[in-house]
Amino acid sequence: NAGVTQTPKFQVLKTGQSMTLQCAQDMNHNSMYWYRQDPGMGLRLIYYSASEGTTDKGEVPNGYNVSRLNKREFSLRLESAAPSQTSVYFCASSEISRSGEQFFGPGTRLTVL
Amino acid sequence: TQLLEQSPQFLSIQEGENLTVYCNSSSVFSSLQWYRQEPGEGPVLLVTVVTGGEVKKLKRLTFQFGDARKDSSLHITAAQPGDTGLYLCAREFSGGYNKLIFGAGTRLAVHP
């Protein structure tokens, strides 16, 4: 039981390059999320998917796109990377419940030069 | 505003000391979660508090939810080096679907 997995773990891009961050969960959760974490700012929600087939914007969606490929997988795409997108990206999944617990992956550390 | 403010930002203490970290908001929230994040890993849920005035204990960690549901605290008794990490509080965005807004966190270092 792997929980939430993310690939790659590290990535360096040049400004203007594109890439896709992959996320998969094996807990049969309906909801999945992408966050970015910057020093001194906590985690900020980029996009979320409440259920398979739906996606919606979070707090900081500009410059990103997402795809909910199936119930297990939720990918985040940077079409034209910018230095401001240098960050650590976390994928999470959950069931909708009063406790609201989210299960996080180990993160992808992205540097855009 | 739905912002969560955490204090202190950094805390460096010796093993065996007690400490309290705080999470405050200007608006009422229905529930609050506390996560701990270790270097190179994602956050892991410690506890969820849902009732004003609620106190929950997890071994040496005591979590309190304010009566007015605008603030929460985490108290650690006799801190150990294994408690080192980033402590984050989080509340749900309006609109449901368990979307979370996080505070900036308190970075705790416990020295042997």
Side-chain angles (χ1 to χ4, degrees):
Chain A
N1 189 344
V4 179
T5 57
Q6 292 183 237
T7 55
K9 197 158 179 64
F10 300 95
Q11 184 71 48
V12 179
L13 294 178
K14 294 181 180 178
T15 297
Q17 288 185 316
S18 62
M19 79 160 296
T20 300
L21 282 64
Q22 306 288 352
C23 173
Q25 52 95 6
D26 63 3
M27 294 172 283
N28 203 35
H29 287 159
N30 281 308
S31 299
M32 297 185 73
Y33 313 83
W34 277 105
Y35 293 89
R36 60 179 288 174
Q37 185 174 32
D38 301 296
M41 299 191 72
L43 285 86
R44 291 181 293 167
L45 182 65
I46 304 170
Y47 270 93
Y48 69 100
S49 171
S51 61
E52 185 179 356
T54 69
T55 61
D56 213 338
K57 296 177 181 178
E59 234 183 321
V60 288
N62 291 345
Y64 305 95
N65 284 301
V66 291
S67 295
R68 183 75 182 267
L69 305 169
N70 47 56
K71 192 171 185 179
R72 288 187 66 248
E73 298 173 287
F74 189 37
S75 63
L76 178 72
R77 182 160 178 84
L78 287 70
E79 291 290 353
S80 179
S84 61
Q85 294 177 305
T86 293
S87 188
V88 182
Y89 291 86
F90 288 97
C91 176
S93 71
S94 81
E95 279 301 337
I96 305 302
S97 66
R98 186 123 193 252
S99 76
E101 179 175 10
Q102 292 194 6
F103 295 82
F104 286 83
T108 294
R109 185 173 294 274
L110 175 66
T111 301
V112 183
L113 303 175
Chain B
T1 178
Q2 299 188 65
L3 291 178
L4 290 173
E5 295 184 1
Q6 290 192 245
S7 61
Q9 194 174 357
F10 300 99
L11 198 52
S12 179
I13 61 172
Q14 295 297 124
E15 182 175 1
E17 292 185 26
N18 301 331
L19 66 115
T20 303
V21 299
Y22 301 91
C23 177
N24 297 288
S25 173
S26 58
S27 55
V28 173
F29 32 89
S30 58
S31 65
L32 189 87
Q33 301 173 31
W34 283 95
Y35 288 81
R36 180 168 68 206
Q37 184 179 18
E38 299 189 15
E41 298 182 10
V44 176
L45 182 72
L46 295 172
V47 77
T48 301
V49 285
V50 297
T51 305
E54 182 176 6
V55 176
K56 281 192 174 178
K57 293 195 174 187
L58 190 67
K59 297 183 182 178
R60 293 175 294 99
L61 278 60
T62 302
F63 303 84
Q64 196 153 9
F65 199 13
D67 291 339
R69 305 205 329 268
K70 290 185 177 182
D71 58 272
S72 181
S73 63
L74 158 59
H75 182 79
I76 301 179
T77 304
Q80 298 177 2
D83 296 325
T84 292
L86 180 65
Y87 289 82
L88 297 158
C89 63
R91 60 169 290 179
E92 194 170 338
F93 263 103
S94 58
Y97 299 115
N98 277 11
K99 298 172 296 181
L100 296 178
I101 182 166
F102 282 83
T106 293
R107 190 166 297 279
L108 172 65
V110 183
H111 304 284

